[in-house]
Amino acid sequence: MWKFFSLDEIKKSLLMALWFIFLTFPIMVIRVNPIYNVVEWRWQNMALVGAGAFFLSFLWRYFLEYKNPAPSKPADDAAVSRSGRFSELLRSSGTRRLAIGAAVILALAFPYLFSSYQVNIMTTALIYVVLGLGLNIVVGLAGLLDLGYVAFYAVGAYSYALLNLHFGLSFWICLPIGAALAALFGILLGFPVLRLRGDYLAIVTLGFGEIIRLVLENWNDFSKGPSGIAGIPRPGIPGIEMSLNASSVFLYFLMIALALFTIMVVSRLRNSRIGRAWIALREDEIACQAMGVDKTKTKLTAFALGATWAGMGGVMFAAKTTFINPASFTFLESAIILSIVVLGGMGSIIGVIASAFILILLPEYLRAFSEYRMLIFGAVLVIMMVFRPQGLISNVRQTYRFKGLQENKEGD
Amino acid sequence: MDYFLELFLGGLTRGSIYALIALGYTMVYGIIELINFAHGEIYMIGAFTALIAASVLNIMGFGPVTILILAMVLAIVYSCAYGVTMEKIAYKPLRHSTRLAPLISAIGMSIFFQNYVLLAQTSDFLPFPSLLPELEILEPYAYIIRSSEVFIILTTFGVMVLLTLLIKFTRIGKAMRATAQDRTMAMLVGVDVNRVISMTFIIGSSMAAIGGVLIASHIGQINFYIGFIAGIKAFTAAVLGGIGSIPGAVLGSLVLGWTESFATGYISSDYEDVFAFGFLVLILIFRPAGLLGKATTQKV
């Protein structure tokens, strides 16, 4: 630690500070007003950048060193055992039961402890939990990089909004319809991209997401265009009148139920025949086909099942906000959902849940610095990836341990 | 016929700008297999630097030609500086991690840069001075082509020729080709891979900056968000041509430019981007590796 304050390190940081002062000079220091042709010089920003870069570069090097210890030193056993102990703790059934119990109590008591504003934020976070788990099927398990996941979310939201507007269908009928339509779109997208690999897949899915959004934006007769659809009813129980507050609490519990359902289904799916086929497909397509897995069917089910959750999330979203327009379904949403999956640790369910809460609640509670929240969000993505690329909770590969075998070895 | 010619030249202009950005994507992809999502932001920063430089120089009383040259040079210098810094911070530490980690890092960088410019400058559209001079010879044809379009097409052509020469005949070009083929092998025969990667970012960023300045003075206004759209389009173009292939990126860009130009001219202007992406999907169904991409058969 102390070696970081040697003269050499200070020199490095000074150089870094100078570099960043140079780098940020035109954009941070000068502000022009081309209409009145005046220039504003903001020298105080230069001092801020210099000081900030100076200190941050110490931290940066320190943490980078911490993450990748120099090869001359003995391997960082402490770090290994620490993370080992942590996941051990996660896996031990006692702590697990305790944690789940605490989470359930907190979740049930939440609407009675906090304001309806907080409840709404939590509902949003839960929607993203469902979205994250859905995308986790496509990206985390099946290894298909989907950058247009928001399209299915839009399909769900618009199917509720439009069916309700034109035919007066209720939320309860629209939830399965939205999910089914999203699944259908999943298959529709799946067919042309079956042959594509990796990054080609990424751009086509991105394009698909943009096409859906642009059609919604421009096809005024169908979707009311950019002005969107307002007055979507909140879900209720037939025969019971609910106040605004009560219905948002109801929605919250509904969302908890949906999230639990998703968690259950996704975790069952992962250990099922099709789930193992997805993982095999992710690891090696050719070997997987050689083992008799139907590639077409497996990929299409991944797209369809992934999209289903987005459809349901979309219906919930429309019901929660009561107003939707195409601006809610931009690429940024897809990027946020993908970040949830990757930050959580691909394929890990607990990780995805945790990172959905972090990524959605972080910007919400950063509203105090509302101007800076997206800046911080971007920086957090980069920093997380640099220092913990495997995500919050790295997915432990399922292994079989043969007790007898180990004993034999020790006997030798 | 005039209308056709106008659309053709408009598409060529568009395609040229896409090509300048798409080359950065495709070169970075060819060398480190990373979709550099923040590349569009580099282009945006280039345009902003040029705008700021041009305004300051204008107030200091320089002539238009000096302003054009100095603004262009500063835009290139700063875009390169940002490109290289970004690589060192966000991609280099991730070189040996999973495939998706650098992509998320790039998306993070893109969001960061957009908001950085938004906060440090403004969210409004800023008028961009038309730095490119008007050509009098073109006066009679003004209804078909503007002189800024001629500048864009000619500059792009020049840059392409320079790039081809650089990659074909210089030492660093050879090193780049070697690294793109097989990074480990290139390292073994003594290529400084880190330098090659930095160099790739420098070349890609400077082309993006040139594109940024040209298109900004052609359209006449910029804001912090221009990089995102242009980046997505250029990425589409790079994939259309076959990502990793340099002639492919140029061809893909031109095809995309013409598709957009003709589709908006003859069919409907509302669905410009839908045509672009729809065309991409169509091409990829029939040629899954892009127009000029090599279909690699995997050996077992």
Side-chain angles (χ1 to χ4, degrees), chain A residues 61-374:
Chain A
R61 285 202 304 275
Y62 175 68
F63 281 114
L64 217 54
E65 183 93 353
Y66 184 78
K67 186 189 138 205
N68 315 316
S72 59
K73 282 191 286 180
D76 198 357
D77 284 331
V80 174
S81 70
R82 188 157 30 77
S83 72
R85 226 178 296 146
F86 182 64
S87 48
E88 202 68 24
L89 202 67
L90 269 178
R91 251 175 291 162
S92 75
S93 64
T95 19
R96 193 178 228 183
R97 232 174 270 159
L98 204 70
I100 291 177
V104 167
I105 291 171
L106 187 70
L108 291 180
F110 193 84
Y112 307 103
L113 294 177
F114 296 97
S115 68
S116 69
Y117 170 70
Q118 306 284 344
V119 173
N120 268 328
I121 292 176
M122 266 301 158
T123 313
T124 311
L126 285 167
I127 291 178
Y128 279 89
V129 168
V130 171
L131 291 173
L133 288 172
L135 186 62
N136 193 21
I137 294 178
V138 186
V139 180
L141 295 182
L144 304 162
L145 178 51
D146 185 350
L147 292 181
Y149 192 63
V150 76
F152 309 123
Y153 186 41
V155 167
Y158 267 90
S159 53
Y160 176 38
L162 289 172
L163 286 174
N164 185 272
L165 188 74
H166 295 305
F167 305 108
L169 295 185
S170 79
F171 172 82
W172 298 106
I173 302 171
C174 288
L175 190 64
I177 294 179
L181 275 176
L184 195 72
F185 271 83
I187 295 174
L188 210 67
L189 167 70
F191 263 116
V193 302
L194 277 174
R195 288 169 70 200
L196 302 179
R197 290 234 301 267
D199 308 282
Y200 291 91
L201 184 70
I203 185 67
V204 172
T205 49
L206 193 158
F208 179 76
E210 287 293 295
I211 288 175
I212 296 272
R213 185 179 64 83
L214 289 164
V215 168
L216 289 175
E217 203 153 274
N218 288 307
W219 194 359
N220 287 326
D221 305 332
F222 174 69
S223 66
K224 300 205 164 185
S227 51
I229 300 169
I232 304 164
R234 292 159 190 278
I237 306 165
I240 299 175
E241 282 289 314
M242 269 191 276
S243 68
L244 184 66
N245 215 343
S247 76
S248 74
V249 171
F250 179 64
L251 199 67
Y252 168 78
F253 282 120
L254 210 60
M255 206 51 232
I256 293 235
L258 182 61
L260 285 179
F261 178 61
T262 316
I263 293 168
M264 200 183 79
V265 173
V266 171
S267 60
R268 301 290 294 168
L269 267 177
R270 191 169 62 170
N271 297 323
S272 71
R273 191 185 172 83
I274 186 81
R276 277 177 283 135
W278 286 333
I279 296 173
L281 198 70
R282 175 186 76 188
E283 298 298 322
D284 192 326
E285 230 171 70
I286 293 175
C288 168
Q289 276 174 294
M291 298 305 290
V293 173
D294 183 351
K295 189 175 119 187
T296 313
K297 211 175 88 191
T298 314
K299 275 194 182 176
L300 285 181
T301 42
F303 272 116
L305 282 175
T308 309
W309 301 109
M312 288 199 213
V315 174
M316 290 307 261
F317 172 74
K320 176 183 163 281
T321 52
T322 71
F323 166 75
I324 52 168
N325 69 348
S328 313
F329 307 106
T330 55
F331 170 69
L332 187 68
E333 288 300 309
S334 289
I336 289 175
I337 303 168
L338 184 66
S339 312
I340 287 174
V341 175
V342 178
L343 278 183
M346 301 229 300
S348 150
I349 291 176
I350 299 177
V352 169
I353 296 169
S355 76
F357 276 110
I358 293 171
L359 280 192
I360 300 308
L361 298 184
L362 182 80
E364 287 299 335
Y365 291 114
L366 281 176
R367 278 210 193 272
F369 324 80
S370 61
E371 283 186 328
Y372 297 97
R373 67 200 185 103
M374 284 318 280

Side-chain angles (χ1 to χ4, degrees), chain B residues 9-272:
Chain B
L9 290 169
L12 189 63
T13 313
R14 233 177 235 257
S16 305
I17 296 294
Y18 290 156
L20 284 173
I21 310 168
L23 281 168
Y25 268 111
T26 220
M27 285 169 71
V28 166
Y29 187 88
I31 288 190
I32 52 175
E33 299 212 330
L34 158 77
I35 304 174
N36 182 10
F37 251 101
H39 189 60
E41 266 55 59
I42 297 292
Y43 149 95
M44 180 264 297
I45 285 174
F48 259 96
T49 312
L51 170 68
I52 291 165
S55 312
V56 173
L57 291 169
N58 188 27
I59 290 170
M60 287 162 84
F62 283 93
V65 180
T66 331
I67 290 180
L68 174 64
I69 293 168
L70 278 179
M72 189 67 112
V73 168
L74 279 172
I76 292 174
V77 166
Y78 271 98
S79 283
C80 293
Y82 273 96
V84 170
T85 312
M86 174 176 75
E87 197 268 324
K88 292 272 183 284
I89 289 179
Y91 307 143
K92 198 177 170 197
L94 289 172
R95 219 168 272 166
H96 301 291
S97 66
T98 54
R99 268 184 57 76
L100 275 183
L103 182 76
I104 297 293
S105 186
I107 291 174
M109 260 300 154
S110 167
I111 295 174
F112 182 85
F113 277 144
Q114 277 178 26
N115 286 279
Y116 159 69
V117 173
L118 168 76
L119 291 172
Q121 294 288 321
T122 169
S123 61
D124 304 329
F125 269 101
L126 292 178
F128 196 92
S130 56
L131 298 171
L132 304 172
E134 289 291 323
L135 295 177
E136 276 176 32
I137 328 160
L138 287 175
E139 204 70 27
Y141 307 105
Y143 60 98
I144 297 176
I145 188 164
R146 284 163 56 192
S147 51
S148 56
E149 291 181 319
V150 175
F151 272 104
I152 289 175
I153 294 168
L154 289 181
T155 316
T156 310
F157 184 72
V159 169
M160 300 295 140
V161 171
L162 278 180
L163 183 72
T164 316
L165 292 178
L166 181 97
I167 287 178
K168 280 235 160 97
F169 298 112
T170 60
R171 253 180 93 79
I172 187 78
K174 210 185 219 171
M176 281 164 96
R177 279 181 289 147
T179 315
Q181 255 181 23
D182 189 333
R183 203 195 312 167
T184 324
M185 198 58 213
M187 254 193 273
L188 284 176
V189 295
V191 173
D192 183 349
V193 171
N194 281 334
R195 200 167 137 255
V196 169
I197 293 174
S198 298
M199 205 55 205
T200 312
F201 273 88
I202 286 176
I203 296 171
S205 305
S206 45
M207 284 189 295
I210 296 172
V213 177
L214 289 175
I215 193 72
S217 48
H218 175 62
I219 292 177
Q221 57 175 7
I222 58 172
N223 78 345
F224 72 98
Y225 201 61
I226 55 166
F228 181 74
I229 315 262
I232 297 268
K233 287 293 185 59
F235 179 38
T236 308
V239 172
L240 190 64
I243 194 150
S245 143
I246 290 175
V250 179
L251 181 68
S253 304
L254 293 179
V255 168
L256 191 71
W258 280 319
T259 311
E260 283 185 11
S261 183
F262 286 125
T264 50
Y266 287 121
I267 308 172
S268 155
S269 62
D270 288 343
Y271 290 99
E272 180 189 314

